[in-house]
Amino acid sequence: MPKKKSTAHSPNSASPPSSPVSTSNDSCPTCNIDFYQDDHTPCIFCDHCLLWFHPTCAGLSDIEYEREKDSTEDWYCHNCAGIPDFSPATPLTSTWGDISGQAILSELSTAYSEIVGWRPNLFKLPKGNAGRAFVSEVNRLLNAWTVRTDLEMVAMLAVNTIGALLLQKPGIRSTQKENINALSRRLELWKAGKFSELLSESTAIQKKLRSGSTNSESARKSFARLMMAGRVNSAMRVLSTSQSAPLEVTPELIEKLQSKHPAAAPLSRKHLVSTVPAPSFENATFDSLDGVAIKRAAKSTRGGCGPSGMSSELWSRMLCSKAFTKEGDDLSFSLARLTRRLCTELVDPTTLSPLLACRLIGLNKNPGVRPIGIGEVLRRIIGRTVTQHLRSEIILSAGPLQLAAGQEGGCEAAIHAMNEYFERDETEAVLCADASNAFNVLNRMTCLINMRYLKKKKKKKK
């Protein structure tokens, strides 16, 4: 029988929920909310500090909680597992136009869940007052997250929703003047918090888009051919401009894709290098990361767009176009500050979900399915900026292990070299298959924590 690790509290209970050992906490140590306030509040027990926690307060998703509650393995809270804790996002108490508080989160979440399945249909960001106002609004939202205003909780959600709601083409052959008028009108609705009205308008436009079965089949074949030829950027462009996915989304396809992305392995103290407090971040390393670095990364970022539909061309135009000189400079400065915060602080992960989301598609391997995740362009710009900033350190640390890290085309060169060896008659080889999907089941939090300790140890050896 598995050890009972979770239960639901009852306000009529005379004592805390049953556990393998005695415990005294009547409220969650993280949020301080009394367990007895809710008749069916789920909770999970830490086998080290002997305290109960709300699963969400312990950083567990619904899937992770369901797995952990019936597990025979010990479970540890963040503090006992040696995971550095983060400060929760600023409470959402702000007013946005006609709505306030949790209503903002609810309406933006509803809009986001709709737009992630839409077909590409955004017009080019126009120059002039409307375009500048759009860039300034994106800048305002990014700043709200960076400086932790009372919109921090919804800032990234809004950034990844604004493009699809405000830049939707009014018609298939809409003129630039019509696009400008639409953007100006929608900006007013956006500032008034009328997200549901914007969503209704854009949904109606999406329904009018033709399915185009012939073009759809052509796009699928082009995408598959380019991917198999290694021309990833070209394939992503086909995907971003076409109105279809390489494989039709069916319940069977979703099930196959989910099987290739299993839940991460549970966190375990035995996998950590150390359980003492992790070394502090070296903030000075990123002090020189500025707007110029952001613009340089944006100019070289290519490929398809993520769930938001905001393409690399749109981000590059907002940041680097002469049509938005001041607004672009302000946006790049804000993005640099945001990037520095990501590199030097432990932030509330719930605020980053839209930034980290990927558009998961299936490529027909015939037989089988190859999952391809297309992340947000904004995330790629941030990642490229940090990678370029730490280029020399990355080469020093990972060069010999990561296929010539820091060398242009290093992976391609390694593949060509291996092909040359395999084509020789005297070559014999053993194929080692990754049958267990090992990388996807690793606990990423464990890896990130251990990297901080190992980096510190390496410096001491010098």
Side-chain angles (χ1 to χ4, degrees):
M1 289 290 291
K3 178 179 67 176
K4 188 173 183 181
K5 301 189 66 176
S6 61
T7 187
H9 290 288
S10 170
N12 299 320
S13 300
S15 61
S18 58
S19 64
V21 293
S22 61
T23 182
S24 59
N25 66 309
D26 295 336
S27 61
C28 174
T30 303
C31 67
N32 294 319
I33 294 178
D34 195 324
F35 288 128
Y36 302 102
Q37 291 179 7
D38 192 337
D39 195 27
H40 297 287
T41 303
C43 55
I44 189 164
F45 182 76
C46 175
D47 292 277
H48 189 260
C49 66
L50 313 182
L51 296 175
W52 291 88
F53 295 81
H54 291 127
T56 52
C57 294
L60 294 177
S61 66
D62 291 342
I63 295 176
E64 291 170 330
Y65 169 67
E66 290 298 323
R67 181 189 62 201
E68 287 290 344
K69 73 177 183 178
D70 295 323
S71 173
T72 57
E73 297 290 328
D74 287 350
W75 178 82
Y76 302 102
C77 65
H78 280 203
N79 186 53
C80 295
I83 300 177
D85 219 345
F86 56 85
S87 299
T90 306
L92 184 57
T93 58
S94 179
T95 297
W96 188 323
D98 299 334
I99 57 177
S100 60
Q102 290 301 312
I104 302 174
L105 176 61
S106 177
E107 292 206 17
L108 280 174
S109 297
T110 298
Y112 181 75
S113 64
E114 290 291 326
I115 66 107
V116 295
W118 285 356
R119 297 170 180 173
N121 188 49
L122 305 188
F123 56 76
K124 182 180 178 181
L125 183 65
K127 58 185 178 180
N129 292 335
R132 288 194 292 270
F134 181 88
V135 179
S136 296
E137 179 62 10
V138 173
N139 182 45
R140 180 184 77 90
L141 294 169
L142 291 176
N143 268 328
W145 186 89
T146 303
V147 301
R148 304 198 63 189
T149 71
D150 51 5
L151 285 177
E152 179 188 12
M153 189 177 294
V154 297
M156 288 296 179
L157 187 61
V159 167
N160 287 281
T161 306
I162 189 172
L165 293 184
L166 271 60
L167 300 180
Q168 200 76 207
K169 292 179 182 176
I172 297 176
R173 285 176 286 275
S174 58
T175 64
Q176 184 178 18
K177 184 177 181 180
E178 290 172 332
N179 294 341
I180 293 174
N181 290 337
L183 177 57
S184 299
R185 176 177 54 81
R186 292 168 183 169
L187 272 166
E188 293 302 317
L189 292 173
W190 175 269
K191 292 176 182 178
K194 298 186 182 299
F195 306 124
S196 57
E197 190 172 330
L198 287 166
L199 179 61
S200 297
E201 178 187 349
S202 295
T203 300
I205 293 173
Q206 282 286 318
K207 288 180 179 178
K208 292 179 182 178
L209 296 178
R210 298 182 221 171
S211 58
S213 57
T214 303
N215 292 337
S216 171
E217 185 62 27
S218 174
R220 288 178 181 138
K221 289 181 179 179
S222 297
F223 177 83
R225 175 175 51 79
L226 291 168
M227 285 296 296
M228 292 304 183
R231 298 171 60 186
V232 178
N233 285 339
S234 298
M236 293 300 106
R237 279 194 293 273
V238 169
L239 192 64
S240 295
T241 55
S242 69
Q243 297 183 351
S244 62
L247 284 178
E248 183 181 358
V249 179
T250 62
E252 292 76 17
L253 176 62
I254 293 175
E255 185 178 350
K256 288 180 180 178
L257 293 175
Q258 287 177 338
S259 68
K260 294 177 179 293
H261 291 79
L267 182 67
S268 174
R269 287 167 63 90
K270 66 183 179 183
H271 294 147
L272 295 173
V273 173
S274 174
T275 56
V276 300
S280 59
F281 290 109
E282 297 174 359
N283 294 14
T285 303
F286 302 97
D287 285 348
S288 59
L289 197 155
D290 56 15
V292 175
I294 293 290
K295 288 189 175 186
R296 183 168 58 246
K299 288 179 180 178
S300 59
T301 299
R302 300 287 183 271
C305 50
S308 71
M310 296 179 72
S311 65
S312 56
E313 289 80 7
L314 174 57
W315 279 105
S316 180
R317 181 167 174 77
M318 288 195 294
L319 287 162
C320 307
S321 173
K322 292 181 180 178
F324 315 112
T325 304
K326 179 184 181 303
E327 293 77 13
D329 288 344
D330 292 342
L331 182 60
S332 63
F333 175 77
S334 297
L335 260 179
R337 287 204 305 170
L338 182 149
T339 303
R340 290 198 297 270
R341 185 187 173 198
L342 284 173
C343 291
T344 57
E345 293 182 27
L346 292 166
V347 302
D348 188 338
T350 60
T351 66
L352 295 177
S353 295
L355 176 67
L356 303 180
C358 285
R359 185 154 55 111
L360 187 60
I361 61 175
L363 174 63
N364 190 357
K365 292 200 297 185
N366 196 21
V369 177
R370 174 175 296 166
I372 298 175
I374 306 176
E376 290 293 353
V377 173
L378 177 57
R379 178 186 177 184
R380 300 207 298 270
I381 291 174
I382 293 171
R384 185 180 291 269
T385 301
V386 175
T387 302
Q388 291 175 345
H389 186 74
L390 299 176
R391 178 184 173 88
S392 58
E393 288 89 341
I394 293 173
I395 293 174
L396 181 64
S397 300
L401 304 175
Q402 296 294 331
L403 294 178
Q407 178 177 330
E408 192 73 26
C411 292
E412 289 83 351
I415 291 171
H416 287 304
M418 290 300 297
N419 283 338
E420 182 179 336
Y421 276 106
F422 272 105
E423 289 173 358
R424 296 177 183 177
D425 294 335
E426 66 273 16
T427 299
E428 295 182 358
V430 175
L431 179 64
C432 179
D434 178 15
S436 64
N437 205 5
F439 183 75
N440 283 334
V441 299
L442 285 173
N443 188 292
R444 307 294 174 84
M445 179 66 78
T446 304
C447 295
L448 289 171
I449 295 171
N450 285 341
M451 284 170 60
R452 294 173 67 185
Y453 287 107
L454 294 173
K455 180 176 181 292
K456 213 73 174 179
K457 286 185 175 181
K458 188 172 183 179
K459 282 195 171 184
K460 285 182 180 179
K461 288 182 180 179
K462 292 180 181 179

